[in-house]
Amino acid sequence: MKSELGGLPTDMAITVGRYLVAAELASDPEQAYRYAQAARHYAARIGVVRELSGITAYKTERWTEALAELRAARRLTGRNDYLALMADAERGLGRLDRALEVVHSPEAKRLPRAAQIELRIVESGIRRDQGLADAAVLALQVPELSDGKLRPWSARLFYAYGDALLAAGRREAAREAFARAVVADEDEQTDALSRLDELDGVTVADLEDDEDEELDAASSSDADLDDEEDEDDDDDDIDDESDADLDDKEDNEDDDDDDDVLVGLEDDEDEPGGEAEEQPDTATDDAEK
């Protein structure tokens, strides 16, 4: 990008570069389009600017604008990297014959394999639009579909193949293709998992119900644990009360034993005293005699 912006004044190159980076990083397609348009305002004669302008127009389904921008970028750079986008834009405009001309053009045959696969995906969509479901499946039956190797574009190929098979009424084969797409799509660039769930009859409502059941089970388990803890606390209180009662009983028994001992001692003290009182009387009687 720096080399292509090198012909601009430094300040302008910095401004355009920032807009281009912002457009590439923006998650909202409309916002990305606006950033690309701002860059185009300053540097409409720079190939990379027109390329990004065309890509963002394509992603927001501005088909006519996308075609114009990508053709301009092609003239300025001499690159054919975006032929698949141009063919799909023609398809978006309903010009299926023109789209097929782009797909089978001499330039398309010289593209890297990844770009050729993208053209195959577009062709499959064109065949479906034409009502040729079997032809749509055949367009995607390339060696990379079954060689067991995963590539950066494998998820898109498997996904498109699943779409074509489903349109052809081959439900089980489509399910297998979407399952392969899920495995290959580590970055979740497609909604293959949702498509697989649809084929398996799994709905969002089902998933929410499962989550609610799990939450209810977890809440019930927590409540049971709380009840068990409360029961343990009650048992502890009962044990404490029992211990206290035993202590009180032992104290009372000790007190009773002490009282009995005291009473015994008092009785013992009373008996000697009685004999002492009687002795003087006996002595007096003897004196009188």
Side-chain angles (χ1 to χ4, degrees):
M1 184 186 296
K2 271 187 175 183
S3 60
E4 296 194 46
L5 297 179
L8 297 173
T10 303
D11 291 345
M12 186 177 292
I14 292 173
T15 299
V16 172
R18 286 175 177 171
Y19 278 126
L20 294 178
V21 171
E24 290 180 348
L25 296 178
S27 58
D28 176 30
E30 287 293 337
Q31 185 62 59
Y33 172 78
R34 288 191 288 272
Y35 285 136
Q37 289 302 298
R40 186 182 185 282
H41 173 75
Y42 289 106
R45 296 186 63 81
I46 302 297
V48 68
V49 173
R50 302 300 287 272
E51 279 183 0
L52 193 56
S53 179
I55 293 169
T56 55
Y58 169 83
K59 289 182 177 179
T60 54
E61 299 185 2
R62 293 174 168 88
W63 308 125
T64 302
E65 184 177 344
L67 276 171
E69 292 300 299
L70 292 173
R71 284 170 180 160
R74 189 179 176 190
R75 289 194 300 270
L76 290 167
T77 65
R79 293 195 293 265
N80 295 305
D81 298 352
Y82 299 105
L83 285 179
L85 298 187
M86 294 173 67
D88 207 31
E90 293 284 11
R91 178 192 169 202
L93 292 170
R95 303 194 298 227
L96 302 183
D97 290 340
R98 288 192 184 183
L100 285 173
E101 287 177 7
V102 176
V103 169
H104 296 292
S105 64
E107 294 84 2
K109 292 178 174 61
R110 295 192 291 268
L111 289 174
R113 188 57 178 166
Q116 289 182 8
I117 293 296
E118 289 296 331
L119 282 169
R120 290 272 191 159
I121 292 172
V122 173
E123 181 180 3
S124 179
I126 294 169
R127 297 305 183 189
R128 287 208 311 274
D129 291 348
Q130 292 176 328
L132 304 173
D134 290 336
V137 173
L138 287 172
L140 294 170
Q141 289 181 343
V142 295
E144 292 87 349
L145 194 64
S146 57
D147 66 0
K149 296 179 181 178
L150 290 181
R151 301 168 177 83
W153 38 265
S154 290
R156 286 180 50 76
L157 175 61
F158 299 153
Y159 184 94
Y161 192 54
D163 254 349
L165 289 167
L166 197 58
R170 297 164 61 180
R171 187 181 181 86
E172 287 304 316
R175 188 196 179 285
E176 182 182 348
F178 283 125
R180 294 178 66 193
V182 170
V183 173
D185 193 8
E186 294 181 354
D187 297 330
E188 297 184 0
Q189 296 177 348
T190 71
D191 63 343
L193 183 58
S194 297
R195 300 294 299 276
L196 188 61
D197 287 341
E198 287 176 11
L199 289 173
D200 289 340
V202 179
T203 64
V204 174
D206 293 334
L207 295 175
E208 290 176 350
D209 289 342
D210 290 342
E211 289 179 358
D212 291 340
E213 289 176 3
E214 290 176 1
L215 289 173
D216 290 341
S219 299
S220 177
S221 178
D222 291 341
D224 292 341
L225 287 173
D226 291 339
D227 290 341
E228 290 177 4
E229 290 177 358
D230 291 340
E231 289 177 2
D232 291 340
D233 292 340
D234 292 341
D235 292 340
D236 291 340
D237 292 339
I238 291 172
D239 290 340
D240 292 341
E241 290 176 3
S242 299
D243 292 341
D245 292 341
L246 288 172
D247 291 341
D248 291 340
K249 186 176 181 181
E250 290 175 357
D251 290 342
N252 291 333
E253 290 176 353
D254 291 342
D255 290 342
D256 292 341
D257 292 341
D258 291 342
D259 291 342
D260 292 341
V261 171
L262 288 173
V263 170
L265 289 174
E266 289 173 356
D267 292 341
D268 292 342
E269 289 175 357
D270 289 343
E271 290 176 0
E275 293 176 356
E277 289 176 356
E278 290 175 357
Q279 286 175 358
D281 293 338
T282 303
T284 303
D285 291 341
D286 291 340
E288 288 178 353
K289 289 179 179 178

